[in-house]
Amino acid sequence: MTKLLETVNHFVWGVPALLLILFVGIWLTIRIGAPQVTLFPRALRDFLYQFTGKPTEDPNQVSGYQALCTALAATVGTGNIIGVAGAISIGGPGAVFWMWVCAFLGMATKYAEATLSVRYHVRSHRGEWSGGPMYMMELGLGKKWLAKVYCIFGVIAAFGVGNVTQIRAIINSIDGAVKYLGITPFDHMNLVVAAILALLLGIMLMGGAVGIGKVAQRLVPFAAAAYILLCVVFLVIRIRVLPQVLCQIVAGAFTPQAVTGGMIGSFFQALRIGASRGVFTNEAGMGTAAIAHGGADVSHPARQGLMGIMEVFIDTIVICSMTALVILSSGISIDFGKDLGAYLTGQAFSTVYGGWVHIFLAAALCAFGIATVLGWGLYGARCAQYLFGDDFWEPFVLIQVVFVVLGGAMQTDCVWLLAETVNGLMAIPNLVTLICLTPELRRITDTFRFSQGGTAAQGGTYENIHQRKSLRTVPHAKIPSPGGQSGKAGKENLSSEHR
């Protein structure tokens, strides 16, 4: 079974899939005017304002900043600590360069996902906004069957990569910390830890999208800031070698054999590893984060698109880069060609902080892992609601809690392969949807670029832009009206409730 899953996984996440993800990033960058460059100052300004300012949004709705924190909860995880180390040990220092290139293109992709998700989001009977690729496929393309296929994959991935594998990583990190402290673990300790995590996560998930957003708003900035501070202090101490490290990264991107002693001799290997790890860590192109962004209550879709840009920037350009620079500036010997993962990161940090840093890294992995389960819990619940109705949130959470307990008792190799494969299958329909809806995305972006705040171009508010001629590539797609009737009338009279 494992061999079969490995074969399918290598096909799904092979060269064609990575090239498709990169192609869509290049396509969107060109077609909508490089939003990761032209809109980045406004994105940074909006982010800092919401991060430091007092909330003015409806407390019963998910704010744009809370949606960003929820998306970051799912993306900022073990991949930022373990995945980057694996990328360097397998692909050499040059893999970091290609990770940056992938992130640059991924910012355009995330902008498109977040913007279109808000463009086609709908309000549930609970009063919450629901958005994501499934609504883009149904309301933008008129392909409800494709939306259902995407949601089926999303539910499976939520139980695997967004639950069991994360719980296993948390438990393994706790086991490592316990051993380092010289404490003898008691019988069934892993199961007890899993049961405690299940109780805590169940309570948080039962709070709905708003509750998850509030938890993420507090947990993610705190955990990320603590980890970044640890990295910054390390890099200040090692500041003299940073220019040499940057030269290694650039040189290794094109001539990896020169900086790895011949262990990594293929330019393509550095490119493939860097691009694949970049995609895995920021999830640009998979559409999952669009589910979180689609729940935001904002004045204009593109405003949430700005948060999509910041998501990739924080996840990859900041946090992943910090991890990479720490490893490469530490001076430790790297056994290139082997996936050293958490061991390499721990050894690098210990050159400055000593052995105690393993305790901190274990705590960071726990915080990031819990955040990931919360973020993916939202993704899976939204997909389940699309398939089975709005009332399926509570049953889904109960199933998630059961899988949390199972994660403490089962081996996750097959689960990880299955979830990773399904995650890749989610990317294909999402990327095709982004290409098909590019004209609509460009129209929305233009109204935002030449406007102030939530005011649309040519005058009027954001809601009014839907009364103008749509540039969608599939003109027969029907969007339900606020009254529930579908057809042209619903599309033309779309109100603020169905932005």
Side-chain angles (χ1 to χ4, degrees):
M1 181 65 177
T2 303
K3 289 292 184 183
L4 176 62
L5 286 174
E6 286 179 349
T7 302
V8 176
N9 182 268
H10 289 159
F11 173 77
V12 171
W13 283 110
V15 175
L18 291 175
L19 289 178
L20 176 61
I21 292 173
L22 294 176
F23 167 76
V24 172
I26 295 171
W27 165 268
L28 292 171
T29 298
I30 296 172
R31 290 286 290 153
I32 57 178
Q36 67 270 58
V37 176
T38 59
L39 294 178
F40 183 80
R42 191 185 293 196
L44 183 60
R45 187 168 63 248
D46 267 23
F47 169 75
L48 293 176
Y49 174 78
Q50 295 187 57
F51 179 73
T52 59
K54 295 181 179 180
T56 57
E57 298 87 355
D58 183 350
N60 296 319
Q61 296 294 330
V62 178
S63 69
Y65 177 69
Q66 288 174 340
L68 168 64
C69 289
T70 304
L72 280 172
T75 54
V76 176
T78 55
N80 298 79
I81 299 176
I82 300 174
V84 174
I88 293 173
S89 59
I90 299 174
V96 179
F97 177 86
W98 296 115
M99 190 180 296
W100 289 339
V101 172
C102 186
F104 176 78
L105 299 175
M107 283 192 265
T109 305
K110 271 290 176 74
Y111 168 82
E113 291 176 341
T115 300
L116 290 172
S117 184
V118 175
R119 163 64 178 91
Y120 295 107
H121 69 185
V122 298
R123 195 185 290 277
S124 69
H125 78 267
R126 296 167 177 258
E128 299 175 338
W129 289 112
S130 294
M134 51 279 202
Y135 294 101
M136 292 153 52
M137 295 168 192
E138 179 188 355
L139 305 180
L141 298 182
K143 305 294 183 183
K144 190 169 184 175
W145 65 269
L146 188 62
K148 289 184 176 180
V149 170
Y150 181 89
C151 287
I152 291 172
F153 291 152
V155 170
I156 296 173
F159 290 136
V161 72
N163 187 323
V164 173
T165 56
Q166 299 298 325
I167 296 301
R168 194 72 233 175
I170 292 171
I171 289 176
N172 288 341
S173 66
I174 293 175
D175 285 345
V178 167
K179 291 177 182 177
Y180 176 79
L181 294 172
I183 301 173
T184 303
F186 56 85
D187 293 338
H188 308 298
M189 185 184 79
N190 289 352
L191 199 59
V192 172
V193 172
I196 295 173
L197 289 172
L199 177 63
L200 294 175
L201 288 166
I203 293 172
M204 288 185 280
L205 288 171
M206 280 296 184
V210 175
I212 292 173
K214 290 179 179 178
V215 173
Q217 185 179 6
R218 291 165 175 79
L219 176 61
V220 173
F222 173 77
Y227 182 73
I228 291 172
L229 180 61
L230 190 78
C231 293
V232 168
V233 173
F234 185 102
L235 295 175
V236 168
I237 296 173
R238 299 282 188 178
I239 193 168
R240 292 185 178 180
V241 300
L242 287 183
Q244 180 184 348
V245 168
L246 294 174
C247 290
Q248 283 184 340
I249 291 173
V250 176
F254 303 97
T255 56
Q257 65 273 14
V259 296
T260 62
M263 296 301 295
I264 308 296
S266 168
F267 151 78
F268 181 74
Q269 183 174 354
L271 169 61
R272 182 179 64 85
I273 296 299
S276 62
R277 293 300 172 106
V279 170
F280 281 136
T281 186
N282 60 50
E283 298 181 6
M286 297 180 190
T288 47
I291 299 174
H293 289 293
D297 186 30
V298 291
S299 60
H300 194 287
R303 287 199 66 186
Q304 196 57 32
L306 300 182
M307 295 299 101
I309 293 174
M310 292 305 302
E311 179 193 343
V312 179
F313 179 79
I314 293 170
D315 177 85
T316 307
I317 302 298
V318 176
I319 299 179
C320 287
S321 296
M322 290 283 185
T323 303
L325 293 175
V326 165
I327 292 172
L328 294 173
S329 65
S330 65
I332 62 173
S333 177
I334 302 175
D335 189 4
F336 292 108
K338 300 178 181 179
D339 191 349
L340 301 177
Y343 171 79
L344 183 61
T345 307
Q347 289 296 106
F349 274 108
S350 64
T351 60
V352 167
Y353 295 111
W356 72 267
V357 78
H358 292 284
I359 305 298
F360 179 87
L361 290 177
L365 285 170
C366 288
F368 289 150
I370 290 172
T372 300
V373 175
L374 283 177
W376 269 95
L378 173 67
Y379 300 165
R382 288 297 191 218
C383 289
Q385 284 182 310
Y386 186 88
L387 294 171
F388 307 111
D390 288 345
D391 293 330
F392 203 75
W393 182 286
E394 286 79 8
F396 177 85
V397 171
L398 293 177
I399 298 173
Q400 275 281 71
V401 168
V402 172
F403 272 83
V404 169
V405 177
L406 291 176
M410 64 189 296
Q411 296 299 317
T412 59
D413 291 345
C414 286
V415 177
W416 176 261
L417 282 172
L418 176 61
E420 193 177 69
T421 302
V422 171
N423 214 4
L425 292 173
M426 295 171 69
I428 298 173
N430 177 65
L431 293 170
V432 172
T433 301
L434 292 178
I435 293 174
C436 292
L437 293 178
T438 300
E440 178 71 356
L441 174 66
R442 186 174 181 178
R443 179 176 77 91
I444 294 172
T445 302
D446 287 343
T447 67
F448 183 71
R449 268 203 176 98
F450 306 107
S451 68
Q452 297 294 328
T455 305
Q458 304 174 24
T461 60
Y462 160 64
E463 289 81 358
N464 295 335
I465 72 172
H466 294 288
Q467 298 174 9
R468 304 194 181 99
K469 183 179 179 181
S470 173
L471 297 179
R472 282 176 297 181
T473 56
V474 185
H476 64 271
K478 297 179 179 180
I479 299 178
S481 67
Q485 300 296 321
S486 62
K488 292 183 178 179
K491 183 169 62 179
E492 295 301 321
N493 297 322
L494 198 62
S495 73
S496 61
E497 187 169 338
H498 281 262
R499 299 180 191 147

